[in-house]
Amino acid sequence: MSCLVSNSYNGNLYEYCLEERLAEIKSFEEILSLITIINNKLEKLSEIIETEKLQRLLRGYHYSKSLVNCPLITYFKLGNKEEILQSFDWYSDTPENALSKASNIYDLNLRMKFGFPITINEYGESMKNLVLSLNNNFKNRKY
């Protein structure tokens, strides 16, 4: 139908031209569609990055003999520099005391960041969250 109107009026009629209006509306709908896709991907990307962060926070923590070995203590013990551990205000020769002191002084995020002691429950909950997130976000990944 718009072909029935002479092209010589295009300048004056552009705003009203059916083809032009539909082309602009369609291009705007495409932009909105792409933004929606990007937003959904960014939300997923944020989840994936959080999962990767949790993996790194948990690196070095291992459950053994009813305790969670912490990376910092293991590092200095394996490096034959156990005396350095005495400089930490939370350190104790007994793992239970070290855990209790560290938990009273620092929150979980800081303890995990620096490789300080964490509880079995904190470790278990973090591992559960990690496994669930890996299962949801990395279906074909081998871990």
Side-chain angles (χ1 to χ4, degrees):
M1 290 182 355
S2 64
C3 292
L4 297 174
V5 176
S6 171
N7 283 340
S8 62
Y9 296 111
N10 254 355
N12 296 335
L13 299 177
Y14 180 83
E15 180 179 356
Y16 310 104
C17 179
L18 181 61
E19 291 169 313
E20 295 301 328
R21 287 187 72 251
L22 290 176
E24 285 197 25
I25 291 169
K26 182 179 179 187
S27 65
F28 192 76
E29 286 173 343
E30 288 292 320
I31 291 170
L32 287 174
S33 174
L34 290 172
I35 289 172
T36 301
I37 290 169
I38 290 170
N39 280 338
N40 290 339
K41 295 286 184 197
L42 288 177
E43 185 177 305
K44 197 67 148 174
L45 180 61
S46 178
E47 280 180 45
I48 290 168
I49 290 171
E50 284 298 320
T51 299
E52 291 294 327
K53 178 183 175 185
L54 183 56
Q55 263 187 309
R56 284 155 181 79
L57 287 171
L58 284 167
R59 184 171 288 139
Y61 285 100
H62 299 285
Y63 179 79
S64 175
K65 300 177 186 170
S66 301
L67 290 171
V68 177
N69 296 329
C70 72
L72 189 77
I73 292 174
T74 303
Y75 177 77
F76 285 117
K77 283 185 176 184
L78 290 177
N80 295 317
K81 296 291 184 182
E82 196 169 340
E83 66 276 4
I84 294 175
L85 293 168
Q86 300 298 329
S87 63
F88 292 97
D89 52 1
W90 52 264
Y91 184 72
S92 172
D93 289 332
T94 61
E96 296 83 5
N97 287 344
L99 172 60
S100 177
K101 287 179 182 180
S103 296
N104 287 332
I105 300 170
Y106 303 102
D107 68 19
L108 176 61
N109 289 328
L110 278 177
R111 285 184 283 131
M112 288 181 76
K113 179 178 180 178
F114 295 112
F116 295 173
I118 62 173
T119 68
I120 293 172
N121 289 341
E122 290 167 335
Y123 177 76
E125 190 64 29
S126 295
M127 285 301 287
K128 178 180 133 189
N129 290 338
L130 177 62
V131 169
L132 289 173
S133 183
L134 286 171
N135 285 339
N136 290 335
N137 295 311
F138 301 98
K139 297 201 184 322
N140 296 322
R141 183 174 178 176
K142 294 178 184 177
Y143 49 92

